Amino acid sequence: MDPIKLTRRLIDIESISGNEGAVGAELYEELCRLGYTAHKMPVAHERFNVVATLDERKPELVFSTHMDTVPPFIPSTEDHDNVYGRGSCDAKGIIAAQIAACQRLREEGAAVGMLFLVGEERDSLGAKVANENPLGSRFLINGEPTENKIATASKGALRLQLTARGKMAHSAYPELGESAIEKLLIALERLRGMELPVNPEVGPCTLNIGLIEGGRAPNVIPDHARAQLLYRLVGPSETLRKEITEQVKDIAQAEFVLEIPFMKLRTVPGIDNMVAKFTTDIPALSKWGTPVLLGPGSIHVAHTDREYISKKQLHEAVDLYCSVARQLLSH
């Protein structure tokens, strides 16, 4: 099979999170055509993961990545060096490379399988459902754009919703009201001033204030304001949570709405390594074997309007996936 052609076919099927049905159906048909035992694992609202194995053999090693993309949809194009489009490196090119690697490994008699998931870009729902239905594999090679370097660790994520409440009044008489936006600004400044944890092997915990909303009108003292923040974790979150709550307790309510833990990962000798500053489905796939994180493409162009994957790196990834799988299965 030609991973370049398959990458373009997959890119051209819009699969923004929540709308993965069509690309899942295409993958299911392709894997059946290639002779795998494939099935659709229901997730929610006509969304499903795609699982593929060799006959009834239990796979010792499973390749996995996600089918969904972030918006907006961008159809595929290519030039001599690269394939462009939404999902080219995150992660439809990776899907193609993993299928091509499985094709080689099955010819060698390796017991391999594939797991392609919905929802990674939003809440890892597909991975959570898959973790309730493991196949008993010893190893999981998860694909994300790491430039074909093996990850020694991946940062976690802690999502915080910060809410401040006030009292409405005419803006000509601010003393009669209580500004929720001013409270929120003070809370945010306190959090920005906190000293965040540092892991000497991974780097610092970082903070992004991603969304701010609130108020009624320019001439109304605002009675509500809210911000959504994301911390990239480099270790346990318990101490950080307590300090955040303490910093804002008198002016805002802190609600921790999502946590994906920091993960140390297995490496393989002879392959360049890196630290993934992003999160993956790996923490939600704990029953699928010892995880390895590896894939072609750069995270620096993922989620951009010029997302692309190098054709050379895509072909190299097929060789690399096969090499890593052989090393893992030899133990």
Side-chain angles (χ1 to χ4, degrees), residues 72-94:
F73 170 67
I74 304 172
S76 72
T77 58
E78 68 176 290
D79 57 26
H80 182 267
D81 296 317
N82 304 312
V83 175
Y84 303 87
R86 179 59 77 230
S88 51
C89 74
D90 191 18
K92 292 179 176 180
I94 293 172

Side-chain angles (χ1 to χ4, degrees), residues 40-313:
K40 301 173 182 179
M41 181 187 292
V43 176
H45 307 298
E46 300 183 1
R47 303 164 67 201
F48 53 88
N49 300 326
V50 178
V51 183
T53 58
L54 297 170
D55 301 320
E56 299 303 318
R57 296 174 65 190
K58 182 179 78 174
E60 292 187 65
L61 181 146
V62 170
F63 289 94
S64 180
T65 190
H66 58 96
M67 300 181 285
D68 64 317
T69 69
V70 297
F73 170 67
I74 304 172
S76 72
T77 58
E78 68 176 290
D79 57 26
H80 182 267
D81 296 317
N82 304 312
V83 175
Y84 303 87
R86 179 59 77 230
S88 51
C89 74
D90 191 18
K92 292 179 176 180
I94 293 172
I95 292 174
Q98 291 185 340
I99 294 173
C102 275
Q103 286 291 90
R104 288 191 198 173
L105 291 164
R106 72 187 288 192
E107 293 174 2
E108 300 172 12
V112 292
M114 288 167 276
L115 172 66
F116 300 127
L117 300 159
V118 302
E120 188 272 346
E121 297 288 4
R122 186 171 296 170
D123 55 10
S124 290
L125 181 59
K128 292 171 185 174
V129 171
N131 214 38
E132 298 171 1
N133 301 276
L135 298 182
S137 47
R138 292 195 294 134
F139 299 103
L140 176 81
I141 298 181
N142 187 250
E144 290 287 350
T146 66
E147 300 182 48
N148 282 343
K149 297 176 182 178
I150 200 163
T152 59
S154 67
K155 286 189 176 183
L158 181 65
R159 189 178 298 167
L160 167 67
Q161 182 168 285
L162 202 60
T163 304
R165 294 179 173 85
K167 178 183 177 183
M168 280 192 289
H170 195 294
S171 64
Y173 303 90
E175 68 276 8
L176 300 179
E178 194 175 314
S179 173
I181 288 178
E182 289 184 8
K183 288 183 178 181
L184 183 67
L185 291 174
I186 294 168
L188 290 173
E189 194 59 27
R190 289 180 184 177
L191 296 183
R192 291 181 67 230
M194 279 175 48
E195 185 173 347
L196 297 178
V198 176
N199 183 325
E201 296 180 358
V202 178
C205 172
T206 58
L207 164 64
N208 180 54
I209 303 170
L211 290 170
I212 297 179
E213 57 186 349
R216 304 285 180 174
N219 58 347
V220 178
I221 302 297
D223 63 326
H224 69 92
R226 183 170 64 185
Q228 295 189 45
L229 295 75
L230 187 67
Y231 291 85
R232 295 289 176 175
L233 301 174
V234 295
S237 69
E238 183 179 358
T239 300
L240 178 62
R241 283 171 176 256
K242 288 179 179 178
E243 187 173 353
I244 290 168
T245 303
E246 184 65 25
Q247 287 285 344
V248 304
K249 66 179 182 180
D250 57 335
I251 50 174
Q253 177 186 355
E255 180 184 2
F256 300 100
V257 296
L258 175 71
E259 178 171 352
I260 301 171
F262 163 78
M263 296 283 294
K264 294 200 72 172
L265 299 167
R266 173 160 182 165
T267 59
V268 172
I271 300 174
D272 290 342
N273 58 54
M274 54 86 75
V275 172
K277 295 183 180 181
F278 50 88
T279 57
T280 73
D281 274 331
I282 286 176
L285 293 169
S286 59
K287 297 178 183 177
W288 284 75
T290 301
V292 170
L293 180 59
L294 172 69
S298 170
I299 196 69
H300 297 152
V301 299
H303 300 193
T304 71
D305 58 1
R306 196 58 175 164
E307 182 176 348
Y308 71 89
I309 192 165
S310 155
K311 293 179 179 179
K312 179 175 182 288
Q313 202 169 98

